[in-house]
Amino acid sequence: MLSTELAELKAYMADNPGAVIEDVARERKVSPRAVLEAMPESMVRLGPGGDFAAAMNDVAQWGEVTLIVHTDDAIFEFTGAIPAGEIGRGYFNLMQPKGLHGHLRHERCAAIAFVERPFMGKSSAFIAFINVDGGIMFKVFVGRDETRALRSDQLQRFHALAERIAPARAV
């Protein structure tokens, strides 16, 4: 990406931090990772994809969250507890026979983004698992309580996990 395009993307994301990442990527012909990296530094932290299993097994202890898979053709949302998993036969296998289960290609995870930003008039916090192509494999959102506020217990766990995987840079 040219430096002028990057500057324009950063300015756009600073003015529109709640923009749908995948839409911005498609409109600007860049990867979702580029959009995340263009967000204000105070809103996003990136860590290594090699921490995929540790992150997923931490999230498995949070209780009800929302997992979103956003493709060009659909947006799938699952709200519930994420099962713990283990690595075997080349996959991170979600160890649950019903509800959310499956086999994730963890080795394709190149980075893990921790994002806190306004979205549709509310605070939002999510983890985006970014693949080697710069796409978002899926996102896991901090849950909301009965007043639609972010669950404080999960937000604390989100911050602790972000600090372990993507420590804040010293200024």
Side-chain angles (χ1 to χ4, degrees):
M1 178 180 325
L2 298 173
S3 62
T4 55
E5 292 171 322
L6 179 58
E8 288 174 5
L9 180 57
K10 284 184 173 211
Y12 180 82
M13 292 310 296
D15 291 342
N16 302 281
V20 176
I21 294 161
E22 293 83 354
D23 291 348
V24 174
R26 187 176 51 258
E27 290 163 7
R28 295 192 175 251
K29 297 179 178 31
V30 297
S31 70
R33 181 178 183 152
V35 175
L36 287 167
E37 290 176 342
M39 290 183 69
E41 284 185 30
S42 63
M43 294 183 189
V44 65
R45 291 161 65 170
L46 278 131
D51 287 320
F52 182 95
M56 286 298 292
N57 281 326
D58 192 285
V59 169
Q61 300 171 40
W62 294 11
E64 187 172 282
V65 295
T66 298
L67 183 142
I68 295 179
V69 178
H70 187 151
T71 72
D72 288 341
D73 301 311
I75 300 172
F76 289 95
E77 298 184 22
F78 168 83
T79 299
I82 304 294
E86 60 186 38
I87 295 173
R89 296 188 176 157
Y91 290 89
F92 180 82
N93 301 291
L94 297 174
M95 306 305 289
Q96 177 170 283
K98 294 188 179 201
L100 180 66
H101 61 278
H103 315 281
L104 308 173
R105 293 183 63 196
H106 67 287
E107 290 182 351
R108 285 188 42 83
C109 185
I112 301 171
F114 295 85
V115 181
E116 278 189 88
R117 66 180 186 157
F119 186 74
M120 298 179 72
K122 293 191 177 288
S123 294
S124 173
F126 67 89
I127 304 169
F129 294 85
I130 303 168
N131 68 25
V132 295
D133 301 317
I136 297 175
M137 300 166 75
F138 57 91
K139 301 174 203 159
V140 176
F141 284 78
V142 168
R144 296 190 179 276
D145 65 19
E146 59 281 345
T147 68
R148 305 294 301 143
L150 292 176
R151 285 186 46 184
S152 61
D153 61 324
Q154 288 186 5
L155 194 55
Q156 287 175 346
R157 294 196 74 136
F158 171 88
H159 289 142
L161 185 60
E163 194 55 40
R164 281 197 315 274
I165 292 176
R169 288 184 255 163
V171 180

